[in-house]
Amino acid sequence: MKKILLIFASITMIICLCSCSPKEEKIVIPEVDPASLITAEDIAANAGYTPVVEPSQTMREGNTATVLYRSEPIGQNDIVKVTVTQFTDTINYQQIYADFDQAKMSRSSAETITGVGQDAYVAFPSIHVYDRGCVIDITAGSGADDTQKSLLINLALTAAGRLESIIPDQTNGN
């Protein structure tokens, strides 16, 4: 009888200890608004005109959000489109990066850019940046020269810097 009570007491203590162990905290992933990564003021400073946001504002579909800036009057200057695809509780950052890398490999004209996010490439007329488990795609201008490349890189540096202040690094640099 003493053995049975001792076993029962031991099992009860183990159950109590397991239930008192610290629980893993669920990470809250903020929804990133691309209009907070690139503002109309950023475009004015880099592209030389002050755009207006399309009346629909930010469009969101699943884990992807897009904002479109245009000139007023329409057609006077090129549009600027900013899209953010981010990891969620159902789509992890490895999958987001795999899709990013696959798209990069399929673009034969892609030029790798260093110093912007964790990985970036220009495939005119866009720059694509992977950082913090998210992909930022920015389409701006219509050229394929150094001026266009500089515009894209400057906007991407701004967007990646703001993203890093919104989302803590969940990827451990990967």
Side-chain angles (χ1 to χ4, degrees), residues 2 9 11 15 26 28 30 54 56-57 68 76-77 81 114 125 133 141 146 155-156 170-171:
K2 287 183 181 183
I11 291 173
I15 291 171
K26 184 172 177 153
V28 176
E54 278 294 311
S56 58
Q57 299 291 322
L68 187 64
Q76 185 174 16
N77 294 290
K81 179 180 175 184
T114 58
D146 287 342
L155 291 173
Q170 306 296 316
T171 67

Short mmCIF file of all heavy atoms in Angstrom, two decimals, residues 2 9 11 15 26 28 30 54 56-57 68 76-77 81 114 125 133 141 146 155-156 170-171:
data_model
loop_
_atom_site.label_atom_id
_atom_site.label_comp_id
_atom_site.label_asym_id
_atom_site.label_seq_id
_atom_site.Cartn_x
_atom_site.Cartn_y
_atom_site.Cartn_z
N LYS A 2 1.97 1.24 0.77
CA LYS A 2 2.86 2.40 0.82
C LYS A 2 3.49 2.65 -0.55
O LYS A 2 3.65 3.79 -0.95
CB LYS A 2 3.96 2.18 1.86
CG LYS A 2 3.47 2.31 3.28
CD LYS A 2 4.62 2.17 4.23
CE LYS A 2 4.13 2.27 5.65
NZ LYS A 2 5.20 2.20 6.61
N ALA A 9 1.85 9.59 -5.43
CA ALA A 9 2.36 10.90 -5.04
C ALA A 9 3.42 11.38 -6.04
O ALA A 9 3.46 12.57 -6.41
CB ALA A 9 2.94 10.85 -3.63
N ILE A 11 3.69 10.56 -9.27
CA ILE A 11 3.01 10.91 -10.53
C ILE A 11 2.31 12.26 -10.39
O ILE A 11 2.37 13.10 -11.28
CB ILE A 11 2.00 9.80 -10.93
CG1 ILE A 11 2.79 8.55 -11.34
CG2 ILE A 11 1.10 10.26 -12.06
CD1 ILE A 11 1.93 7.33 -11.59
N ILE A 15 3.10 15.66 -12.65
CA ILE A 15 2.04 16.37 -13.37
C ILE A 15 2.00 17.83 -12.95
O ILE A 15 1.88 18.73 -13.78
CB ILE A 15 0.67 15.68 -13.16
CG1 ILE A 15 0.68 14.32 -13.87
CG2 ILE A 15 -0.47 16.55 -13.66
CD1 ILE A 15 -0.54 13.45 -13.57
N LYS A 26 3.10 32.89 -27.64
CA LYS A 26 2.79 33.00 -29.06
C LYS A 26 3.20 34.39 -29.54
O LYS A 26 2.87 35.40 -28.93
CB LYS A 26 1.30 32.77 -29.31
CG LYS A 26 0.97 32.78 -30.77
CD LYS A 26 -0.45 32.36 -31.02
CE LYS A 26 -0.68 32.48 -32.51
NZ LYS A 26 -1.67 31.62 -33.01
N VAL A 28 3.01 37.56 -31.66
CA VAL A 28 2.01 38.32 -32.39
C VAL A 28 2.71 38.95 -33.60
O VAL A 28 3.70 39.64 -33.46
CB VAL A 28 1.37 39.41 -31.51
CG1 VAL A 28 0.41 40.25 -32.30
CG2 VAL A 28 0.69 38.78 -30.31
N PRO A 30 2.52 41.57 -36.40
CA PRO A 30 1.74 42.75 -36.82
C PRO A 30 1.49 42.73 -38.33
O PRO A 30 2.33 42.29 -39.10
CB PRO A 30 2.63 43.92 -36.43
CG PRO A 30 4.00 43.37 -36.35
CD PRO A 30 3.87 41.91 -35.98
N GLU A 54 -4.07 55.95 -54.39
CA GLU A 54 -5.31 55.56 -55.05
C GLU A 54 -6.45 55.58 -54.04
O GLU A 54 -6.24 55.25 -52.86
CB GLU A 54 -5.18 54.14 -55.63
CG GLU A 54 -4.48 54.10 -56.97
CD GLU A 54 -5.28 54.78 -58.07
OE1 GLU A 54 -6.48 54.51 -58.24
OE2 GLU A 54 -4.69 55.60 -58.78
N SER A 56 -8.71 53.63 -53.27
CA SER A 56 -8.99 52.37 -52.56
C SER A 56 -8.04 52.14 -51.38
O SER A 56 -8.23 51.21 -50.62
CB SER A 56 -8.90 51.20 -53.53
OG SER A 56 -7.61 51.17 -54.13
N GLN A 57 -7.03 53.00 -51.24
CA GLN A 57 -6.03 52.89 -50.17
C GLN A 57 -5.30 51.55 -50.27
O GLN A 57 -5.04 51.08 -51.35
CB GLN A 57 -6.67 53.08 -48.78
CG GLN A 57 -7.31 54.43 -48.57
CD GLN A 57 -6.29 55.56 -48.51
OE1 GLN A 57 -5.21 55.40 -47.96
NE2 GLN A 57 -6.62 56.69 -49.10
N LEU A 68 -1.00 51.66 -54.05
CA LEU A 68 -0.64 52.22 -55.34
C LEU A 68 -0.68 53.74 -55.26
O LEU A 68 -1.68 54.32 -54.84
CB LEU A 68 -1.63 51.73 -56.39
CG LEU A 68 -1.35 52.06 -57.84
CD1 LEU A 68 -0.07 51.37 -58.31
CD2 LEU A 68 -2.52 51.62 -58.71
N GLN A 76 0.76 61.85 -65.67
CA GLN A 76 1.83 62.83 -65.74
C GLN A 76 3.17 62.21 -65.33
O GLN A 76 4.21 62.53 -65.90
CB GLN A 76 1.51 64.02 -64.85
CG GLN A 76 2.53 65.14 -64.98
CD GLN A 76 2.11 66.36 -64.18
OE1 GLN A 76 1.25 66.31 -63.33
NE2 GLN A 76 2.72 67.49 -64.50
N ASN A 77 3.15 61.32 -64.35
CA ASN A 77 4.35 60.63 -63.89
C ASN A 77 4.03 59.14 -63.73
O ASN A 77 2.87 58.75 -63.75
CB ASN A 77 4.82 61.20 -62.53
CG ASN A 77 5.28 62.63 -62.65
OD1 ASN A 77 6.31 62.91 -63.22
ND2 ASN A 77 4.50 63.54 -62.10
N LYS A 81 4.12 51.33 -57.01
CA LYS A 81 3.35 50.26 -56.39
C LYS A 81 4.22 49.58 -55.35
O LYS A 81 5.36 49.19 -55.64
CB LYS A 81 2.92 49.25 -57.47
CG LYS A 81 2.12 48.08 -56.95
CD LYS A 81 1.77 47.16 -58.12
CE LYS A 81 1.07 45.92 -57.64
NZ LYS A 81 0.83 44.99 -58.77
N THR A 114 23.21 44.34 -52.66
CA THR A 114 23.63 44.11 -51.28
C THR A 114 23.33 45.34 -50.44
O THR A 114 23.23 46.44 -50.95
CB THR A 114 25.13 43.78 -51.21
OG1 THR A 114 25.86 44.86 -51.80
CG2 THR A 114 25.44 42.48 -51.94
N PRO A 125 11.09 46.84 -63.95
CA PRO A 125 11.14 48.12 -63.27
C PRO A 125 10.93 48.01 -61.77
O PRO A 125 10.39 48.91 -61.15
CB PRO A 125 9.99 48.89 -63.92
CG PRO A 125 8.95 47.84 -64.13
CD PRO A 125 9.73 46.60 -64.49
N GLY A 133 11.29 37.94 -42.73
CA GLY A 133 10.22 37.01 -43.08
C GLY A 133 9.19 37.60 -44.02
O GLY A 133 8.11 37.04 -44.18
N GLY A 141 8.86 54.08 -61.48
CA GLY A 141 9.54 54.57 -62.66
C GLY A 141 9.37 53.61 -63.83
O GLY A 141 8.69 52.60 -63.75
N ASP A 146 20.81 53.58 -64.51
CA ASP A 146 21.31 53.83 -63.16
C ASP A 146 20.40 54.75 -62.35
O ASP A 146 20.28 54.61 -61.14
CB ASP A 146 22.73 54.41 -63.21
CG ASP A 146 23.76 53.36 -63.59
OD1 ASP A 146 23.46 52.15 -63.47
OD2 ASP A 146 24.88 53.74 -64.00
N LEU A 155 14.19 53.79 -52.36
CA LEU A 155 12.87 53.45 -51.81
C LEU A 155 12.94 52.15 -51.00
O LEU A 155 12.34 52.04 -49.93
CB LEU A 155 11.83 53.34 -52.93
CG LEU A 155 11.45 54.66 -53.61
CD1 LEU A 155 10.54 54.39 -54.81
CD2 LEU A 155 10.80 55.63 -52.63
N ALA A 156 13.70 51.17 -51.49
CA ALA A 156 13.82 49.89 -50.78
C ALA A 156 14.54 50.05 -49.45
O ALA A 156 14.17 49.41 -48.45
CB ALA A 156 14.54 48.87 -51.66
N GLN A 170 12.37 37.33 -36.71
CA GLN A 170 11.97 35.97 -36.35
C GLN A 170 12.83 34.93 -37.07
O GLN A 170 12.74 33.75 -36.81
CB GLN A 170 10.49 35.71 -36.71
CG GLN A 170 9.55 36.72 -36.14
CD GLN A 170 9.52 36.70 -34.64
OE1 GLN A 170 9.48 35.64 -34.02
NE2 GLN A 170 9.57 37.87 -34.02
N THR A 171 13.63 35.38 -38.04
CA THR A 171 14.34 34.47 -38.92
C THR A 171 15.76 34.18 -38.44
O THR A 171 16.45 33.40 -39.07
CB THR A 171 14.41 35.05 -40.34
OG1 THR A 171 15.24 36.22 -40.33
CG2 THR A 171 13.02 35.40 -40.86
#
